[in-house]
């Protein structure tokens, strides 16, 4: 399932409150030979991004302390770090708001693991948009 790339060792921060899903997402990132840092809530993600300066943040919109204000805070604290947002969007307005907050890719849950890997590598490769 792995996507080919030249980014081995780069760091992805995975922010997800559901332990099983976080473990799966981390495994998907590690399968790409990337490093992983983890957070279980919005406050933890904000602290981790300042501590480890990841190359990408992969986060769930609805984790505790999450939401669009959390995404804006991530963007303000570390504007150069791309954000991939996992969300259950019922309408296009929410996706548009996420993109307006500076999110580089929005993936609808349940997320395809191959699409997730492609989004990560696409962003690391410098592609401008990796949204589904």
């Amino acid at each position: 399932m792995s996507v080919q790339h030249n980014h081995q060792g780069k760091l992805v921060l995975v922010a997800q409150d559901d332990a099983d899903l976080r473990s799966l997402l981390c495994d998907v990132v590690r399968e790409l030979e990337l490093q992983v840092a983890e957070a279980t809530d919005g406050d933890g993600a904000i602290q981790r991004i300042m501590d480890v300066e990841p190359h990408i943040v992969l986060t769930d919109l609805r984790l505790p302390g999450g939401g669009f204000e959390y995404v804006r805070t991530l963007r303000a604290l570390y504007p150069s770090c791309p954000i991939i947002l996992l969300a259950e969007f019922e309408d296009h307005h929410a996706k548009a708001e996420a993109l307006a907050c500076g999110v580089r890719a929005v993936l609808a849950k349940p997320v395809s693991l191959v699409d997730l890997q492609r989004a990560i590598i696409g962003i690391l490769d410098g592609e401008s948009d990796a949204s589904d």
Side-chain angles (χ1 to χ4, degrees), residues 15-18 39-45 59-67 70:
Q16 171 56 248
D17 59 317
D18 179 279
T40 59
D41 60 29
D43 292 338
T59 187
D60 193 325
L61 180 64
R62 300 203 185 277
L63 76 163
Y70 151 73

Side-chain angles (χ1 to χ4, degrees), residues 51-121:
D51 291 344
V52 301
E53 297 185 7
H55 294 90
I56 292 178
V57 173
L58 171 61
T59 187
D60 193 325
L61 180 64
R62 300 203 185 277
L63 76 163
F68 289 115
E69 192 57 39
Y70 151 73
V71 173
R72 286 190 214 37
T73 300
L74 287 177
R75 174 61 45 235
L77 289 173
Y78 199 22
S80 65
C81 184
I83 299 170
I84 298 175
L85 190 66
L86 303 178
E88 297 175 10
F89 288 121
E90 290 79 35
D91 62 58
H92 293 293
H93 297 292
K95 183 175 180 179
E97 184 172 355
L99 295 173
C101 288
V103 170
R104 286 284 297 279
V106 179
L107 299 175
K109 290 167 47 178
V111 64
S112 157
L113 301 182
V114 171
D115 288 347
L116 175 58
Q117 286 187 330
R118 287 183 180 141
I120 292 169
I121 297 308

Side-chain angles (χ1 to χ4, degrees), residues 6-22:
N6 299 329
H7 303 289
Q8 288 80 4
K10 291 193 175 177
L11 181 65
V12 177
L13 172 61
V14 176
Q16 171 56 248
D17 59 317
D18 179 279
D20 292 335
L21 182 53
R22 187 175 61 254

